[in-house]
Amino acid sequence: MAAKSLHDWTSIAERLQIEGRCFIDGRYQDAAEQCTFDKVSPLDGRKLAAVARCGGADVDLAVAAARKAFEAGHWSRMAPAQRKRVLSRFADLLEANAEELALLETLDMGKPIAHALSTDIPGAANAIRWCAEAIDKVYGEIAATAADQLGLITREAVGVVGVIVPWNFPLLMASWKLGPALACGNSVVLKPSERSPLTAIRVARLASEAGIPDGVFSVLPGFGTEAGSPLSLHMDVDAIAFTGSTNIAKQLMVASGKSNLKRVWTEAGGKSPNIVFADAPDLAAAATSAAAAIAYNQGQVCTAGSRLLVQRSVREAFLDHLRQALGSWSPINALDPSSRYGAMVDAQHLQQVKGYVAAGMEEGARMIVGDKGESLAQGCYLGPVVFEGVRNDMRIAREEIFGAVLAVIDFEDAEEAVAIANDTPYGLAAGLWTSNLSRAHQVARALRAGSVWVNQYSGGDMTAPFGGFKQSGNGRDRSLHAFDKYTELKATWIRL
Ligand code: NAD
Ligand code: MN
């Protein structure tokens, strides 16, 4: 099959039939109040679909169906080896429909089609398959008891899980939760972001085709306050698994306290430091990576390396490399297969990011790389921006911008670098570049972050946990540790 051109993708997009209804209890249906909202593409403002605007009544329906299915046991008590087969089929169907799903992702939230094809959709399928393959290989424990006792330590599904996800990697973030939640036997009600509901809606049918029983997996598109909030307050939801901003994460914990003390697992924001020491093995390679760390996905990445800490003695040399590396991250129509930098998610977010650019200027930081997005005036395009001379107390260094706006901060020695790196409410990720083995270990230990990358930025896969320290959240996605969030631990004591 020949690779598709911009023209191919554009014409496929024009013919695409896009489902906008919610999926409850095994079928597509309109929202109870029959409300919809128009989902437009950030690429060109075109309306993609009228999407179901779910509210409390839909949440009630989906949760009731989820509970009924859970109690019936067709999924929750299915042999793990059988759940494995069904979920593997689901992963196969994601792969078989990869081009359509990738296109939906690009049209919906603006990311380059090449990245949706190479990363988002294969990553989602891989997350589901990894959890499927694991589920018949995890065992319980037997306690170290006296001879007249048998202590069984088992894990069982929590029940009904509400999954609430953001728009930056719509299907991938959902899959990091669907994989373990479904593998463990739970029922799931997924609330995708109002900014990127289309792949979630589409895969509901694929899950059903794979053999996931009715009610076990529902999808409720809609707004946070209208669909997300009633889910978080529902008395019959046992857990919420969330990825999104720290502000909303806090609201979900309040909602839990106000309702049934449901477990709340949050993967929240970040303001991650990327620390370049003068003895980095290869300054040019570090700069190429630092450019990707802020520009990938138009900077809309929770782990974006948004604070670049550079040792003073190599600052000028490093910034020259960085400017050059960022040259290849100019906005290009996201449907063009050569694009590696697409559109921001929507006009509102674009304005918000531009507001931070203005704030950086006002606070006295120096812009050394400016926006090159003006030429694509039609869509929500904004090229990378770099500020140097940033102090860690400036807004552009403290707040998560969620766009390609990089704050460059100088430091003198490792002690100062670590102090600046940890001086943030967040703790999602951190990178460091050095040839000194001891320094690499010492600094990695001192960094308060859930992921630390040495001589690379970004890395890891389903085999390692992912999540945050401090206000970047709790719990972990990926790896067997993720199963903890979707199971309760039970101790059963048998007198012999
Ligand atoms: P957001 O917090 O605005 O929204 C996330 C989801 O929560 C959406 O589905 C939204 O509709 C829903 N929501 C909003 N208000 C709600 C409410 N009151 N009750 C229930 N649900 C509500 O986040 P966003 O703008 O979609 O995504 C960007 C954020 O996501 C950034 O902060 C980013 O760092 C974070 N993120 C974190 C990770 C991670 O793994 N830690 C990964 C990706 C994105
Ligand atoms: Mn938001």
Side-chain angles (χ1 to χ4, degrees), residues 27-74:
R27 64 185 184 88
Y28 285 116
Q29 47 191 285
D30 293 325
E33 310 285 334
Q34 303 197 338
C35 294
T36 60
F37 64 99
D38 284 350
K39 184 62 192 72
V40 301
S41 175
L43 301 187
D44 55 7
R46 182 165 75 89
K47 176 179 166 182
L48 296 168
V51 173
R53 184 169 174 166
C54 291
D58 305 290
V59 170
D60 287 344
L61 279 178
V63 172
R67 175 64 58 193
K68 192 168 153 230
F70 186 75
E71 299 294 339
H74 304 308

Side-chain angles (χ1 to χ4, degrees), residues 167 194-195 245 248 349 352 402:
W167 47 262
E194 58 275 24
R195 283 162 151 158
S245 63
I248 304 299
H349 187 59
Q352 203 171 309
F402 223 56

Side-chain angles (χ1 to χ4, degrees), residues 346-360:
D346 64 19
Q348 191 198 339
H349 187 59
L350 177 68
Q351 285 316 314
Q352 203 171 309
V353 173
K354 283 183 172 171
Y356 278 106
V357 176

Side-chain angles (χ1 to χ4, degrees), residues 173-209:
M173 293 302 101
S175 299
W176 284 3
K177 304 184 194 301
L178 295 178
L182 290 171
C184 292
N186 296 284
S187 295
V188 173
V189 177
L190 168 63
K191 209 297 279 174
S193 169
E194 58 275 24
R195 283 162 151 158
S196 61
L198 300 179
T199 47
I201 295 172
R202 177 70 183 94
V203 304
R205 166 82 85 207
L206 298 179
S208 180
E209 281 171 29

Side-chain angles (χ1 to χ4, degrees), residues 164-169 173 176-177 191-195 222-225 227-230 232 242-249 251-252 266-270 300-303 349 400 402 426 428 466-468 472 477:
I164 301 178
V165 290
W167 47 262
N168 61 335
F169 296 90
M173 293 302 101
W176 284 3
K177 304 184 194 301
K191 209 297 279 174
S193 169
E194 58 275 24
R195 283 162 151 158
F223 292 86
T225 48
S229 176
S232 71
F242 171 80
T243 298
S245 63
T246 294
N247 267 341
I248 304 299
Q251 292 185 35
L252 296 175
T266 63
E267 297 286 341
Q300 304 162 135
V301 179
C302 54
T303 55
H349 187 59
E400 183 183 47
F402 223 56
Y426 296 108
L428 193 56
F466 178 83
S472 290
D477 282 339

Side-chain angles (χ1 to χ4, degrees), residues 262-344:
K262 58 179 63 66
R263 285 83 182 97
V264 177
W265 304 110
T266 63
E267 297 286 341
K271 191 74 190 178
S272 299
N274 186 15
I275 308 171
V276 180
F277 288 98
D279 66 354
D282 178 345
L283 274 189
T288 300
S289 172
I294 191 62
Y296 187 76
N297 214 34
Q298 301 73 250
Q300 304 162 135
V301 179
C302 54
T303 55
S306 53
R307 289 185 298 147
L308 179 62
L309 276 52
V310 183
Q311 195 155 23
R312 213 157 273 141
S313 59
V314 291
R315 185 185 62 189
E316 293 315 318
F318 189 80
L319 291 181
D320 284 344
H321 287 303
L322 180 70
R323 262 187 291 258
Q324 202 178 338
L326 278 169
S328 63
W329 292 93
S330 294
I332 294 176
N333 184 341
L335 284 177
D336 185 327
S338 72
S339 176
R340 66 197 306 219
Y341 192 99
M344 310 288 294

